[in-house]
Amino acid sequence: MIDIKLTNGVSMPGMVIGTNWMGKRELKKILHSAFNAGFRAIDTARDYGNEPIVGQALSEVLKETGISREEIFITTKIGNGQQQKGDINGEIEQSLSNLKTDYLDLWLMHWPYPGYFESTWDKMCEIYANTDKTRAIGVANYDIRHFRKLKNNTNGIMPMVNQIEFHPLRTISTLRDYMKTENITLEAYCPLCRLISPIKESEVLKKLASKYNKSIGQIILRWHLQNNAIPIFKSYNPNRFKENIEIFDFSLSEEETAQISALNQNYKYHLESASCPGY
């Protein structure tokens, strides 16, 4: 597993386990398999509805495996409803309690909720700058216009991470160029685009999978890493974690990476308006 260094110097594992909507029994099974395979980062959110379940499952798995809390990189997010309430310090305290930890490794704002995201960011910056409650802060689902509104926050801090949908059918080149200029790390959700037909039936991806004796999913995950993107993926199949981490024994050429990027259709699997009215 490789690590990615964030702009504040914090090292973040280069691949992350998604935990959204999972129950405790299935989550424990997944965490055991993922940790055994070498994964050390998990992602959750208040709005997934299972933050306390993630905390309980993780606590039990750490005890059962002997892995320390410090070895695990934990990310959670503050949702739209919490932004509206405005008690941002209270919300991180709730997340810490839910996750049974004294600190977060990465705390994200889930959406640039209109009318609230700028003040939410200011409060997140204050907590980051003045407490030990989180090692890094960032955002999710942000576009350039949202970042520009954060430029003048009182602490002068820009997000360290933007978690956004990124895959071969959505390569967001303009946004990625902007993020590079601001040293914002790209974390990719839906990294395989659910292996929908244009992905699964792609001749480019099938040929590369055959050439390297890898699955299409492994080819795409390797493409993410070579694009300096941190993929988050979720699976109910414990064997998938071992497969997905076996992507460090080959490299795609620049031409092959470009061929995959050329599959771009500006296709969005998850619509912003469904989760963030007024986006």
Side-chain angles (χ1 to χ4, degrees):
M1 177 68 70
I2 62 169
D3 283 350
I4 303 295
K5 188 163 285 190
L6 305 182
T7 187
N8 68 343
V10 167
S11 290
M12 179 175 179
M15 300 177 77
V16 180
I17 309 160
T19 63
N20 49 313
W21 323 125
M22 285 187 172
K24 181 182 172 185
R25 180 179 296 180
E26 58 195 354
L27 186 54
K28 282 193 66 176
K29 184 186 297 184
I30 290 305
L31 291 179
H32 270 292
S33 298
F35 292 166
N36 285 340
F39 287 88
R40 290 295 183 268
I42 65 171
D43 176 271
T44 188
R46 183 72 60 78
D47 285 356
Y48 294 159
N50 68 342
E51 199 178 57
I53 293 172
V54 173
Q56 185 62 48
L58 177 63
S59 176
E60 292 180 13
V61 171
L62 292 183
K63 187 177 295 184
E64 291 163 7
T65 60
I67 297 172
S68 69
R69 159 66 183 93
E70 290 73 25
E71 294 178 72
I72 306 300
F73 193 98
I74 301 175
T75 299
T76 194
K77 312 175 192 75
I78 182 168
N80 295 345
Q82 295 87 56
Q83 291 193 60
Q84 284 181 295
K85 290 177 184 176
D87 181 13
I88 308 305
N89 188 66
E91 298 304 337
I92 195 171
E93 290 291 351
Q94 184 63 60
S95 287
L96 292 173
S97 175
N98 288 344
L99 292 167
K100 301 183 181 300
T101 183
D102 296 327
Y103 67 95
L104 300 174
D105 295 281
L106 177 61
W107 188 34
L108 303 179
M109 191 190 322
H110 210 150
W111 292 94
Y113 195 51
Y116 295 93
F117 72 87
E118 293 164 90
S119 61
T120 297
W121 183 249
D122 279 342
K123 294 172 184 177
M124 289 177 69
C125 288
E126 291 174 8
I127 292 167
Y128 167 73
N130 299 311
T131 75
D132 295 322
K133 296 174 184 177
T134 183
R135 298 173 65 218
I137 53 175
V139 296
N141 302 295
Y142 267 54
D143 209 336
I144 295 171
R145 67 186 186 279
H146 304 114
F147 284 119
R148 286 176 173 159
K149 290 186 176 181
L150 301 186
K151 276 285 204 175
N152 297 319
N153 71 81
T154 53
N155 285 276
I157 300 170
M158 281 293 279
M160 296 150 199
V161 171
N162 185 21
Q163 186 183 119
I164 196 162
E165 184 175 327
F166 174 66
H167 46 68
L169 299 183
R170 185 175 192 257
T171 58
I172 50 173
S173 57
T174 302
L175 174 58
R176 286 166 57 211
D177 287 344
Y178 176 85
M179 288 168 58
K180 286 178 185 176
T181 66
E182 297 290 346
N183 295 312
I184 300 168
T185 296
L186 169 61
E187 189 177 13
Y189 68 78
C190 198
L192 306 182
C193 197
R194 303 292 180 91
L195 290 176
I196 62 173
S197 182
I199 293 282
K200 192 164 52 178
E201 302 303 325
S202 164
E203 289 301 322
V204 169
L205 293 172
K206 286 196 289 187
K207 286 178 181 177
L208 290 173
S210 176
K211 174 182 176 179
Y212 290 106
N213 194 29
K214 296 291 182 180
S215 69
I216 285 177
Q218 288 172 313
I219 295 295
I220 294 174
L221 291 174
R222 182 70 208 185
W223 173 83
H224 275 81
L225 296 188
Q226 291 184 213
N227 274 291
N228 297 312
I230 300 174
I232 307 170
F233 64 87
K234 172 185 170 183
S235 177
Y236 291 95
N237 180 355
N239 296 324
R240 193 71 68 199
F241 294 95
K242 184 175 184 300
E243 175 186 318
N244 285 351
I245 208 169
E246 292 177 344
I247 59 171
F248 299 100
D249 57 353
F250 76 105
S251 294
L252 299 167
S253 69
E254 288 187 19
E255 180 181 358
E256 290 167 342
T257 302
Q259 288 174 346
I260 296 173
S261 298
L263 297 174
N264 178 54
Q265 299 178 23
N266 297 318
Y267 173 78
K268 190 85 165 62
Y269 191 92
H270 298 278
L271 297 177
E272 288 93 346
S273 58
S275 299
C276 190
Y279 178 90

